[in-house]
Structures are given as C-alpha cells and as structure tokens.
Amino acid sequence: MYLYHYYDKAIGPFKNLSDISIEEENKILSEIAVTKPNVQCAKRQADYMQARVYYENILRNEFIKKGGLIARKSPHYMVVEHSPWLSTWYDNSSVIKIPIEEFDLRTVSFTYGDSHPTFSDKVNDGKEYRKKLYSYDEILEIIRKYGLPQDWNNDGKYGPERYIEAHIWSDDVIYKYLK
C-alpha cells in the first residue's frame, strides 16, 4: 500500500493550514479564491477552517481512544493509493507517494472517505464506515469489504467517499520528503 499526498508545486508539499493562525489561514484561502478561482480549494465554504478544527478534534480524540500515538496537534493528510479526482485539485499538481511501511503505524489513522463527510451529521446513510476512525489493520478489512472508493466512486455519484483519507500524526517520515 502507498499513501499519496497531492499538492501545488508552487506552494510545496505538506503545507498544513492547521499549523498556522486562523488569520493566516483565512488570508491564504481568500488569496486562492481570487487568484485561482477554478481550483478545488477555492470552492471551500466560508467556515471551512472552523469545520476543519472541529473534525480534527474528533479525529484526534478517536485516535487517542484507539491507543494511537499523537506527535502533532493536527495531522498531515494523505490518501490510500492514487486518487484521480484529487490529482486534479491544483493548477500545478504534483504528488508524493510513500510506502506505508515507512510509517510507524501507531501514528497513522484512516477514514473511509474524507473525514469531514465521514463525521458530518449531514451524512446519514447508515453505511458502517460513517462516524468511524480506523487503524491500519481495521482499514484493511474495510478495503477488503468495499474496495477503494476511487475505483467505484471517483466522480462522487454514489456518495461523498472518493478516497480513503490517511491522517499522519507525526512529522518523522514527512520531514524526509520535504528535503
């Protein structure tokens, strides 16, 4: 299994909005909306960062309950295997691909689909993977059961899950790829 991180080449990889102040976050998101109105990031709702903090708190608390190791306040985001949809998010799209074996699996959690709709009260379709955070072994079972969302729902026609989100709660491996 590989984890993928998509990013804009002009900005660089693993630039986490959650690592900066709310004022800086909003400034960056406003700049993107004006200078790159056609990219996916420009289409986020006005309260995106407030929602992101809310969902990151859920992710962190659920991962702690599972015995996960948290070395960062907020995770770095990656996805399981290639996501054709995510690869189109940026004008200058690039990707970093890291084998799962490089990570201490006690620092990685997963949601089947993006964490926002996974934990949103607006998505109530009864699917077993809603409102759940998974460890590596647990996500393998879900993948065996349902496959990769990008293989059956890349266009989002069958629900909000288009990929499996991986949350990296440590900088150890990430720093290697920033050089």
Side-chain angles (χ1 to χ4, degrees), residues 81-92:
E81 301 302 343
H82 171 62
S83 167
W85 182 63
L86 282 178
S87 71
T88 67
W89 271 36
Y90 306 101
D91 284 339
N92 248 337

Side-chain angles (χ1 to χ4, degrees), residues 85-104:
W85 182 63
L86 282 178
S87 71
T88 67
W89 271 36
Y90 306 101
D91 284 339
N92 248 337
S93 192
S94 195
V95 64
I96 291 176
K97 176 180 164 183
I98 305 174
I100 191 76
E101 294 81 13
E102 288 195 34
F103 294 94
D104 176 345

Side-chain angles (χ1 to χ4, degrees), residues 49-66:
M49 286 311 302
Q50 181 181 355
R52 182 167 165 158
V53 168
Y54 172 78
Y55 292 120
E56 285 179 348
N57 284 333
I58 292 172
L59 295 174
R60 186 181 320 98
N61 291 334
E62 291 300 310
F63 198 44
I64 289 168
K65 286 181 198 174
K66 287 187 171 291

Side-chain angles (χ1 to χ4, degrees), residues 12-172:
F14 298 108
K15 302 292 185 192
N16 196 325
L17 285 172
S18 297
D19 289 341
I20 59 177
S21 72
I22 295 277
E23 295 78 25
E24 290 175 284
E25 294 165 351
N26 289 330
K27 181 182 173 195
I28 289 169
L29 291 174
S30 294
E31 259 179 51
I32 291 170
V34 171
T35 61
K36 298 179 180 191
N38 297 321
V39 301
Q40 189 68 30
C41 295
K43 298 172 183 159
R44 290 180 168 147
Q45 71 272 17
D47 67 343
Y48 170 76
M49 286 311 302
Q50 181 181 355
R52 182 167 165 158
V53 168
Y54 172 78
Y55 292 120
E56 285 179 348
N57 284 333
I58 292 172
L59 295 174
R60 186 181 320 98
N61 291 334
E62 291 300 310
F63 198 44
I64 289 168
K65 286 181 198 174
K66 287 187 171 291
L69 300 180
I70 306 278
R72 292 180 48 82
K73 178 182 163 223
S74 59
H76 290 291
Y77 293 92
M78 300 185 80
V79 297
V80 173
E81 301 302 343
H82 171 62
S83 167
W85 182 63
L86 282 178
S87 71
T88 67
W89 271 36
Y90 306 101
D91 284 339
N92 248 337
S93 192
S94 195
V95 64
I96 291 176
K97 176 180 164 183
I98 305 174
I100 191 76
E101 294 81 13
E102 288 195 34
F103 294 94
D104 176 345
L105 295 177
R106 298 171 301 167
T107 66
V108 184
S109 61
F110 302 87
T111 49
Y112 194 82
D114 188 283
S115 54
H116 291 220
T118 294
F119 285 100
S120 173
D121 290 334
K122 296 176 184 171
V123 181
N124 295 305
D125 55 16
K127 292 181 179 173
E128 77 168 286
Y129 45 78
R130 297 285 180 243
K131 316 252 186 301
K132 291 188 183 166
L133 183 90
Y134 297 101
S135 68
Y136 176 68
D137 291 334
E138 292 168 332
I139 201 65
L140 289 178
E141 286 302 312
I142 294 297
I143 293 169
R144 279 187 202 91
K145 222 174 185 180
Y146 299 103
L148 296 172
Q150 58 265 47
D151 291 343
W152 58 267
N153 195 37
N154 186 57
D155 62 2
K157 182 179 176 181
Y158 300 109
E161 56 278 0
R162 293 183 179 204
Y163 50 81
I164 295 170
E165 190 174 82
H167 321 105
I168 314 303
W169 294 97
S170 169
D171 292 319
D172 294 346

